[in-house]
Amino acid sequence: MAENAKELRRRQREHEARVVVHDVQTDRRRTDNRRGIIALIAVAVLAIGSQVAYSATGGFERNPLAESTPGASETAAPAATVPAATLAEDRDWTGTISLNGGELELGVTIDGANAPQAASNFIDLAQKDFYDSTDCHRLTTDGLYVLQCGDPTGTGTGGPGYEFGPLENVPEDGVYPAGTIAMARSSAEDSMGSQFFIVYEDTELPAPGYTVFGQVTSGLDELKSQIVEQGVDPSTGATTDGAPLAPATISDITLE
């Protein structure tokens, strides 16, 4: 009987030891799982935070007039290479920028002689319908008087999938008269893409300046009354620099 009791106690101790080991292993697995989940959450938070920070600054830099440059995966583009500067044929091109389904028509002249690379880029993208159904995403109304367009995403962060330079046909005095059409850029002089801006009131911009490649020849007063005078969309929290309140969507660009 004594031996049986001793054997029972030994088996009981072994069973308790196995239970303890199992509980420790379970606790470790639970701890490891919790650590893994926390790590995944941290990575997700960092990713979201960086995306929000990127979106908050893209395309709405106050000075200089800029477009944000995304990675290749973030662009919407019909082509991945810069068009040849010879496409502009060293001549003036005339045509129209149609907005809001034709409710607003801007007559334009594109300067292929003095800004051949920027003009060729604009002509090439227009001929490929790159700009069709894109929103003009930025309106400025204090000190800087422009409507910025040409981003396929409508956020200020999009482009054609390439960048080009150098600057061309920059005003020597830094003054961009009303009606000027010029290229936006992300930062460097060779960081132009698809975004451009229309100056609706004489504006002075700092060096090194911006490539002037065209001129609005008609419809500027209508642009001001239908879009500019409606101001910036207050729901964005902006007052003088942000998305326009009135619709400003490019329907079509024709050039010849």
Side-chain angles (χ1 to χ4, degrees):
M1 293 295 293
E3 289 181 358
N4 289 339
K6 184 183 294 185
E7 179 65 17
L8 287 173
R9 287 195 297 273
R10 184 184 65 79
R11 291 180 179 178
Q12 181 66 28
R13 285 196 298 271
E14 288 179 351
H15 173 70
E16 291 173 353
R18 286 194 296 271
V19 169
V20 170
V21 170
H22 177 269
D23 289 344
V24 169
Q25 291 174 336
T26 300
D27 288 341
R28 285 177 178 172
R29 284 194 297 269
R30 288 173 178 170
T31 300
D32 290 342
N33 289 339
R34 284 195 296 269
R35 288 174 178 171
I37 292 171
I38 291 171
L40 288 173
I41 292 173
V43 170
V45 169
L46 287 173
I48 293 172
S50 63
Q51 184 177 8
V52 169
Y54 179 85
S55 299
T57 58
F60 287 92
E61 298 176 29
R62 297 302 185 264
N63 201 4
L65 200 85
E67 62 169 275
S68 180
T69 304
S73 63
E74 295 171 307
T75 61
T81 58
V82 182
T86 55
L87 178 64
E89 300 176 356
D90 196 32
R91 67 177 176 89
D92 283 349
W93 293 63
T94 59
T96 60
I97 298 177
S98 176
L99 291 94
N100 300 333
E103 293 181 5
L104 176 59
E105 297 278 348
L106 300 178
V108 298
T109 296
I110 303 303
D111 190 350
N114 293 307
Q117 184 60 79
S120 293
N121 179 70
F122 186 77
I123 294 164
D124 181 67
L125 293 176
Q127 290 177 341
K128 292 175 177 175
D129 299 330
F130 179 91
Y131 293 118
D132 291 6
S133 302
T134 60
D135 293 330
C136 294
H137 61 277
R138 182 187 185 193
L139 174 66
T140 63
T141 60
D142 184 14
L144 183 65
Y145 306 105
V146 305
L147 178 68
Q148 188 167 335
C149 313
D151 174 8
T153 70
T155 64
T157 64
Y162 57 75
E163 295 179 338
F164 69 90
L167 296 175
E168 305 170 290
N169 198 32
V170 177
E172 293 183 1
D173 59 1
V175 176
Y176 296 71
T180 296
I181 306 174
M183 290 300 301
R185 52 185 171 81
S186 60
S187 55
E189 296 179 26
D190 60 352
S191 61
M192 292 175 280
S194 61
Q195 293 186 38
F196 63 94
F197 58 93
I198 298 170
V199 181
Y200 63 86
E201 186 176 319
D202 292 359
T203 295
E204 186 172 355
L205 296 170
Y210 301 84
T211 293
V212 174
F213 70 94
Q215 182 75 26
V216 175
T217 57
S218 64
L220 194 61
D221 288 342
E222 289 76 11
L223 176 71
K224 294 168 68 174
S225 63
Q226 294 182 31
I227 296 175
V228 175
E229 292 177 5
Q230 310 310 310
V232 174
D233 184 354
S235 68
T236 64
T239 56
T240 61
D241 188 345
L245 175 62
T249 302
I250 295 176
S251 307
D252 184 42
I253 297 178
T254 60
L255 297 168
E256 60 182 20

